[in-house]
């Protein structure tokens, strides 16, 4: 029979996906929920293979519950992926309403057609709820693909319902003859296709997440978790990409007398100061800015949209904020300060040329007593004719 072709292949395939996602559970958010989703789907499809007599209610409703819980698992997984709280109350309401409608249909009429319609409607609503966690304008392409795939599953279920409900059935469909009908094959084939497509989309998402994680890790300073030089250059290029004469500024900052902190209090204390300073810079940077650890105790802050005078004021606020920090433990009596060099970027100027100019101003600040901000007197009008690379620390 047609239904027997997929009778055990579908639950076996879904169980394999469930086991696979359980093995990968720690790799990314929501993978244990995906494992539960496909394991429950495997049990649901496997349960439909077992024959049932007319008038049975418990077994069909148990299968229906498994299908609804399976898609609810997908809902929870997608919410976790987007860092959102799943709408458990809404999911519970959909499950109760769908099961209640299906149960009434079986008790009052014995018609499996109405039961299937109620459950597939509930499944479609759950997938629409899952799509609502993401949206068509998600930042990443794979998340947009998952959004449209959720809507595709919901649309497929809704279309099947419309055709199924409007099609005359002779004899009337019951829970006993449902498995032998062509509709059972259609629904099973559709569920298998969309389920496998969803599983592969999730696997692609896992791979892309791992690649992004590796790239982000390679762009970050291991101690402070702010950008390193490579990540800083990449991020600044992104921020400068929008067209237009938008001002931008670069602030170089270097902790004063940092060697004394290491010598007197140890390198662990020095690392704590570096991490604290990096956190302070990160808090004061805007969404159009980024922070980099150039090396040692030297940091850089790029800000898109700030004029030279605004950047100088920002550096002064950082200077004051740092001087007011009360450090813990053996550093409680230490007042940590920093020196700052502030420049505006010339149109088309290379980042490291700008950093070279800022470094000269930082040297001036250091040589004039430290704990001060030195800025360009004017913003440069054009890019220097002979670029000079900023030296590595």
């Amino acid at each position: 029979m047609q239904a027997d072709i997929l009778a055990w292949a579908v639950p076996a395939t879904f169980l394999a996906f469930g086991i696979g996602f359980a093995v990968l559970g720690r790799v990314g958010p929501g993978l244990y929920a995906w494992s539960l989703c496909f394991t429950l789907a495997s049990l649901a499809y496997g349960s439909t293979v077992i024959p049932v007599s007319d008038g049975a209610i418990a077994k069909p409703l148990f299968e229906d519950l498994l299908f609804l819980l399976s898609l609810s698992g997908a809902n929870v997984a997608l919410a976790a992926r987007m860092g959102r709280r799943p709408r458990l109350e809404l999911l519970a309401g959909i499950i109760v309403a769908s099961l209640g409608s299906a149960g009434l249909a079986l008790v009052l009429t014995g018609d499996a057609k109405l039961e299937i319609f109620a459950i597939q409607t509930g499944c479609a609503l759950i997938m629409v709820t899952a799509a609502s966690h993401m949206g068509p304008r998600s930042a990443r392409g794979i998340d947009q693909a998952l959004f449209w795939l959720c809507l595709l599953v919901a649309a497929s279920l809704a279309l099947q319902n419309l055709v199924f409900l409007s099609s005359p059935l002779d004899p009337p469909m019951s829970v006993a003859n449902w498995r032998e009908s062509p509709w059972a094959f259609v629904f099973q084939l559709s569920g298998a296709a969309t389920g496998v497509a969803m599983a592969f989309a999730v696997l692609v998402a896992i791979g892309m997440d791992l690649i992004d994680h590796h790239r982000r890790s390679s762009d970050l300073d291991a101690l402070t978790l702010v950008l390193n030089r490579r990540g800083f250059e990449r991020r600044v290029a992104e921020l400068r990409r929008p067209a237009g004469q938008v001002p931008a500024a670069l602030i170089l900052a270097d902790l004063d007398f940092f060697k004394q902190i290491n010598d007197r209090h140890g390198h662990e204390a020095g690392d704590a100061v570096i991490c604290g300073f990096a956190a302070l810079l990160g808090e004061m940077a805007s969404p159009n800015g980024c922070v980099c650890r150039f090396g040692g105790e030297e940091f850089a802050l790029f800000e898109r949209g700030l004029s030279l005078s605004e950047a100088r004021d920002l550096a002064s606020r950082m200077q004051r904020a740092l001087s007011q920090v009360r450090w813990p433990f053996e550093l409680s009596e230490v007042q940590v300060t920093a020196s700052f060099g502030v420049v505006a970027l010339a149109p088309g100027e290379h980042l490291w040329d700008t950093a070279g100019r800022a470094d000269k101003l930082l040297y001036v600040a250091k040589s004039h007593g430290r704990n001060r901000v030195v800025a360009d007197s004017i913003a440069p009008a054009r890019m220097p004719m002979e670029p000079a690379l900023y030296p590595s620390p």
Side-chain angles (χ1 to χ4, degrees), residues 105-149:
L106 291 177
V107 170
L108 298 179
T109 67
D111 189 352
K113 189 174 186 179
L114 294 177
E115 174 228 351
I116 294 167
F117 177 82
I119 297 305
Q120 293 221 136
T121 299
C123 289
L125 291 175
I126 289 175
M127 294 311 293
V128 170
T129 304
S132 70
H133 291 300
M134 294 171 289
R137 296 184 180 179
S138 299
R140 303 182 60 204
I142 187 61
D143 292 330
Q144 294 179 22
L146 288 170
F147 166 80
W148 290 111
L149 189 54

Side-chain angles (χ1 to χ4, degrees), residues 154-165:
S156 173
L157 291 169
L159 181 61
Q160 290 174 37
N161 259 355
L162 290 175
V163 177
F164 180 55
L165 199 62

Side-chain angles (χ1 to χ4, degrees), residues 236-258:
V236 169
E238 292 174 355
L239 291 169
R240 296 181 74 182
R241 192 168 297 149
Q245 297 297 322
V246 179
L250 181 70
I251 302 172
L252 285 192
D254 190 88
L255 291 167
D256 298 327
F257 302 110
F258 180 74

Side-chain angles (χ1 to χ4, degrees), residues 1 3-4 7 48-51 174-182 184-185:
M1 295 181 199
D4 289 333
T48 61
V49 179
I50 303 173
S174 66
V175 294
N177 64 18
W178 152 250
R179 182 173 170 271
E180 310 301 326
S181 70
F185 178 79

Side-chain angles (χ1 to χ4, degrees), residues 246-272:
V246 179
L250 181 70
I251 302 172
L252 285 192
D254 190 88
L255 291 167
D256 298 327
F257 302 110
F258 180 74
K259 186 176 183 302
Q260 295 181 11
I261 296 176
N262 274 337
D263 293 343
R264 294 177 182 176
H265 303 283
H267 288 281
E268 288 187 0
D271 288 347

